[in-house]
Amino acid sequence: MFAVYASRLDAQQPLDGLALGERPEPGKREGWVDVTVRAASLNHHDLWSLRGVGLGQESLPMILGCDAAGVDEDGNEVVVHSVIGQTGHGVGPDERRSLLTEKYQGTLAEKVSVPAWNVLPKPAELSFEEAACLPTAWLTAYRMLFTNAGVRPGNSVLVQGAGGGVATAAIVLARAAGLRVYATSRDAGKRERAVELGALAALEPGARLPERVDTVIETVGAATWSHSVKSLRPGGTLVISGATSGPNPPAAELNRIFFLELRVVGSTMGTKEELQGLLDFCATTGVRPVIDTVLPMDRAREGFEQLERGEVFGKIVLTT
């Protein structure tokens, strides 16, 4: 079957290890099902995998991709939840949880195999391309907002780094849930797009907000950390799920964190139940993922290059 995979790892030039070509179809495994992929989306996780983060040389070649929507063995339209071993289903109770592509082959292929427990019905209201955007970036944003920040309608939220998959999802979801949303980006065009999606204002990184916010959604890391902490009201919550600019901010702002009794919460992906909630939310509210580009899978390198350059607003989707 045709697939997009990591043939080698390179921390400095990750795309040098990206390969497109034939790979074996998934083998049969008890408790697992094959899904014929109709659409899959790219994440920064795929670039990190090519750099060797979470993926070892011994696991190569590894088919990339965490997100997919497609058709199961019985002809049902489904969405894949990419956290493997979250409950022990299909792998045994002692296996540490992992994402597809860390231990098991990923979704950028004509077929992917996952535990039967990891397959959810695709709402008829969502296209395959839209549904394929949800299991990683959108699920991460959903958990950050509604589980780990515990936002309520009328709250205020700052989303750092508008344009990325998680940040874009957070803007759309927060606005649909009745929050006052602010966003930042270095790019004027992305700031304009953020306002079009519902942000009350989009500012340059580090700029003073019109108000201190209840919650900050942080995926940028070192470059925006100090601004994120300083933007919170007393008792506010900073939820972080990534650090694309690096994990070591020049100032940790510890005095401000303890004096203002701020909460700092780490967040990774989400549960199957939260993915079901996200699917229902999109189906019933009309909220749809923001898609930047749709490409056939044999043009995956173009999508990876676009993602690496940061020339993305929303998701890049590959179709079979």
Side-chain angles (χ1 to χ4, degrees):
M1 66 177 182
F2 183 82
V4 180
Y5 60 97
S7 61
R8 65 186 183 89
L9 307 176
D10 191 321
Q12 303 304 318
Q13 302 292 331
L15 297 191
D16 286 355
L18 181 66
L20 284 69
E22 290 296 312
R23 296 297 304 149
E25 290 197 5
K28 293 299 181 182
R29 187 184 290 123
E30 185 178 355
W32 289 52
V33 297
D34 290 350
V35 174
T36 299
V37 176
R38 295 288 182 83
S41 68
L42 302 186
N43 294 282
H44 275 95
H45 182 271
D46 300 311
L47 285 175
W48 288 113
S49 295
L50 288 164
R51 292 186 174 101
V53 178
L55 178 61
Q57 191 73 33
E58 70 283 355
S59 299
L60 299 181
M62 175 63 75
I63 298 172
L64 299 168
C66 295
D67 296 347
V71 179
D72 70 9
E73 297 168 356
D74 296 322
N76 302 302
E77 296 184 353
V78 298
V79 179
V80 172
H81 177 49
S82 63
V83 182
I84 306 299
Q86 192 169 58
T87 63
H89 284 82
V91 298
D94 297 327
E95 180 171 323
R96 184 177 67 88
R97 71 173 183 175
S98 65
L99 298 183
L100 286 174
T101 76
E102 293 177 346
K103 182 173 181 178
Y104 300 103
Q105 302 291 326
T107 60
L108 300 186
E110 293 177 314
K111 285 187 178 181
V112 62
S113 182
V114 295
W117 184 87
N118 284 68
V119 173
L120 293 85
K122 181 185 78 66
E125 294 87 348
L126 298 176
S127 68
F128 284 108
E129 292 83 358
E130 291 166 343
C133 296
L134 299 179
T136 297
W138 277 69
L139 177 59
T140 297
Y142 184 91
R143 179 175 176 82
M144 292 175 80
L145 284 166
F146 303 123
T147 301
N148 286 327
V151 296
R152 294 175 295 178
N155 282 173
S156 54
V157 59
L158 167 64
V159 179
Q160 298 279 23
V166 175
T168 303
I171 293 170
V172 175
L173 291 170
R175 190 70 186 94
L179 278 67
R180 301 190 307 282
V181 185
Y182 303 98
T184 67
S185 176
R186 293 176 297 177
D187 183 275
K190 291 181 179 179
R191 293 196 297 271
E192 184 176 338
R193 290 287 304 278
V195 172
E196 291 173 359
L197 289 180
L200 294 177
L203 308 97
E204 294 185 3
R208 187 181 183 89
L209 301 183
E211 60 175 314
R212 289 189 177 177
V213 296
D214 297 291
T215 297
V216 174
I217 299 300
E218 174 65 84
T219 59
V220 180
T224 55
W225 180 263
S226 184
H227 181 243
S228 291
V229 175
K230 292 175 180 177
S231 297
L232 283 167
R233 65 162 178 78
T237 302
L238 190 160
V239 186
I240 179 167
S241 67
T244 56
S245 66
N248 301 309
E253 305 292 349
L254 295 181
N255 288 350
R256 187 178 294 269
I257 288 172
F258 73 71
F259 186 73
L260 296 179
E261 298 187 313
L262 305 179
R263 293 197 318 135
V264 176
V265 183
S267 189
T268 299
M269 289 291 289
T271 67
K272 177 184 176 181
E273 291 75 20
E274 287 165 333
L275 179 55
Q276 184 64 66
L278 173 60
L279 290 166
D280 293 341
F281 187 89
C282 291
T284 58
T285 64
V287 164
R288 295 294 181 268
V290 179
I291 296 175
D292 182 290
T293 306
V294 178
L295 295 168
M297 198 167 286
D298 60 6
R299 291 172 58 189
R301 182 170 293 274
E302 297 174 38
F304 273 86
E305 291 171 347
Q306 186 180 347
L307 186 65
E308 186 184 37
R309 292 192 302 266
E311 298 173 357
V312 180
F313 194 95
K315 297 289 290 178
I316 296 174
V317 178
L318 306 179
T319 62
T320 57

